[in-house]
Amino acid sequence: MSSRPLVVVTDFITEPLEYEHQILGEVADVVAIDANNESELVGAVEQASALMIYHAISLTSETINRLQDCKLIVRCGVGIDNVDGLAARQKGIDLANVPDYGTEEVADSAIGLTLSLTRGLHVLNNRLQREVGPWSYSQVVPKRRLRNQVFAIIGLGRIGIATALRAKALGFDVRFYDPYICQGMDKALGIQQIDSLPELAKSAYVLSLHCPLTPGTQSIVDTDLIRMMPPGGYIINTARGGLLQPEVVLQAIEDNHLAGAGIDVLPDEPPAPQNPLVNAWRDPNHPAYDRVIINPHAAFYCEEGLQDMRIKGSQNCLRVLQGMPPVNVVN
Ligand SMILES: NC(=O)c1ccc[n+]([C@@H]2O[C@H](COP(=O)([O-])OP(=O)(O)OC[C@H]3O[C@@H](n4cnc5c(N)ncnc54)[C@H](O)[C@@H]3O)[C@@H](O)[C@H]2O)c1
Ligand SMILES: O=C(O)[C@H](O)CO
């Protein structure tokens, strides 16, 4: 058996681990575990000195408590909601994320979903392609001019700021709610800070979610909040599925209160067969078919970003294996 430290890479990154081997190969053995769920990876990670985990698998206290020599868990990505950071801290294990690998792509996706829904691009294309619609601009939902409409952001962190700048360039009146932001961000960005979520919702034409999923933000957008939005607006969720339940979106579409929703993330990924929103969206006779866009948690993805994420994650493991403190510790 090797006496070299072991770094285990879990989730969807599999061999060849070109960046991981290049950065860590001299000091550690690096292996990828192609597990589908937490129970499949427990045995393989017990001896690891460092773990690199992506977003598809959860790491609960049960697995964390079985780690025998782990110094660092790197969540290769931003959101840390799939790892029990407290359990890791109680065991003296640092949890770090990679905060800055795909900010622009997520913002591009949020704006892309907004434009496709508010301009009806996907609907016009699909109708023509399926030969079920006329050669006409008429739409299932009447279109409004975007300039001066309110683009409302929940969570003005890295992605929130990048989205705000894009929305501002399109002529939106950009407003945000973030109780933890430092003073002066509104003036620096030329956007408006709103002190409460209901106040933000009351003016929102587009409500775009960019806060983390925590016990405090679970279902932060619920039926009551959506009802506060003026009728005919849009919701964009590229943050986490747990912030907005699928039933709530479906109801608001069926009630015609929301004109549309752009969803990159769901509480269950991939969605269970009984997910009501997904089933309605797949039904050509349901209004959600044209008015909802669902993507498979892909907002972050581009080749350069994925490479950045893996390189930065590996470099952080290397720091720790060489006796240096890790960066971007979040627990
Ligand atoms: N779909 C994707 O591919 C993808 C990719 C990256 C990140 N994400 C998600 O996007 C989230 C945001 O990423 P980021 O890089 O901007 O993170 P960030 O930490 O830079 O920003 C998060 C912001 O949310 C704010 N916030 C926290 N609680 C809040 C609350 N209750 N109400 C309003 N604001 C609140 C924080 O103060 C912070 O400013 C991540 O947590 C992650 O879940 C998704
Ligand atoms: O949080 C993130 O970085 C994305 O959701 C991908 O894991």
Side-chain angles (χ1 to χ4, degrees):
M1 209 172 116
S2 167
S3 60
R4 279 158 45 97
L6 175 66
V7 177
V8 179
V9 180
T10 72
D11 263 307
F12 63 87
I13 305 293
T14 52
E15 293 282 356
L17 298 170
E18 58 275 48
Y19 312 114
E20 294 79 359
H21 284 305
Q22 216 173 51
I23 293 165
L24 290 161
E26 280 198 12
V27 300
D29 293 333
V30 187
V31 297
I33 304 299
D34 194 9
N36 294 309
N37 54 51
E38 188 173 5
S39 61
E40 285 177 26
L41 63 81
V42 183
V45 298
E46 276 181 359
Q47 304 299 324
S49 299
L51 280 183
M52 291 169 62
I53 180 163
Y54 292 84
H55 68 246
I57 295 182
S58 293
L59 212 53
T60 64
S61 57
E62 211 170 305
T63 304
I64 290 171
N65 287 333
R66 286 176 58 176
L67 300 174
Q68 290 173 22
D69 187 34
C70 188
K71 294 166 187 62
L72 177 67
I73 299 170
V74 180
R75 223 307 267 156
C76 287
V78 182
I80 49 163
D81 47 281
N82 61 327
V83 181
D84 188 337
L86 185 60
R89 177 51 51 222
Q90 281 164 350
K91 244 184 114 55
I93 302 172
D94 287 321
L95 168 66
N97 69 351
V98 181
D100 51 358
Y101 72 94
T103 305
E104 294 183 349
E105 286 71 33
V106 182
D108 290 344
S109 298
I111 294 296
L113 288 166
T114 301
L115 289 178
S116 197
L117 287 164
T118 56
R119 299 300 308 138
L121 307 179
H122 62 296
V123 178
L124 295 172
N125 173 78
N126 292 349
R127 284 212 222 133
L128 286 182
Q129 199 168 26
R130 290 183 291 122
E131 294 183 353
V132 294
W135 187 262
S136 150
Y137 58 77
S138 77
Q139 298 251 344
V140 278
V141 177
K143 296 298 150 210
R144 310 242 306 265
R145 177 168 290 161
L146 297 186
R147 177 161 297 280
N148 296 331
Q149 299 283 1
V150 172
F151 191 99
I153 291 176
I154 304 180
L156 196 77
R158 286 181 180 81
I159 296 169
I161 291 173
T163 305
L165 293 174
R166 285 157 172 74
K168 204 165 139 46
L170 290 171
F172 279 106
D173 169 354
V174 181
R175 304 180 185 182
F176 72 95
Y177 168 74
D178 188 330
Y180 308 109
I181 204 77
C182 58
Q183 297 252 316
M185 285 301 276
D186 48 352
K187 290 201 177 55
L189 296 171
I191 62 179
Q192 198 182 333
Q193 179 159 17
I194 306 292
D195 289 338
S196 81
L197 208 42
E199 277 310 306
L200 184 78
K202 278 180 198 163
S203 66
Y205 181 59
V206 179
L207 185 65
S208 193
L209 280 57
H210 299 291
C211 61
L213 177 63
T214 64
T217 60
Q218 178 78 31
S219 299
I220 189 169
V221 176
D222 59 11
T223 302
D224 290 345
L225 196 80
I226 292 178
R227 283 198 201 290
M228 289 177 199
M229 292 172 67
Y234 296 84
I235 285 191
I236 307 295
N237 188 6
T238 55
R240 280 295 181 269
L243 302 172
L244 168 67
Q245 298 306 316
E247 305 75 31
V248 168
V249 177
L250 182 59
Q251 190 63 56
I253 293 284
E254 287 179 344
D255 292 349
N256 265 329
H257 191 73
L258 278 184
I263 304 289
D264 183 60
V265 284
L266 288 163
D268 52 339
E269 292 177 3
Q274 65 274 23
N275 185 305
L277 179 63
V278 173
N279 288 334
W281 161 80
R282 287 194 169 126
D283 175 358
N285 299 314
H286 193 283
Y289 186 77
D290 280 335
R291 288 164 45 196
V292 176
I293 298 177
I294 299 181
N295 279 191
H297 199 143
F300 69 94
Y301 172 70
C302 76
E303 280 299 304
E304 294 88 338
L306 201 56
Q307 179 179 333
D308 267 6
M309 178 207 274
R310 293 172 61 184
I311 290 174
K312 287 176 175 172
S314 303
Q315 285 170 336
N316 215 2
C317 292
L318 182 65
R319 286 178 66 88
V320 168
L321 296 179
Q322 290 181 330
M324 285 183 279
V327 293
N328 300 321
V329 173
V330 288
N331 69 334

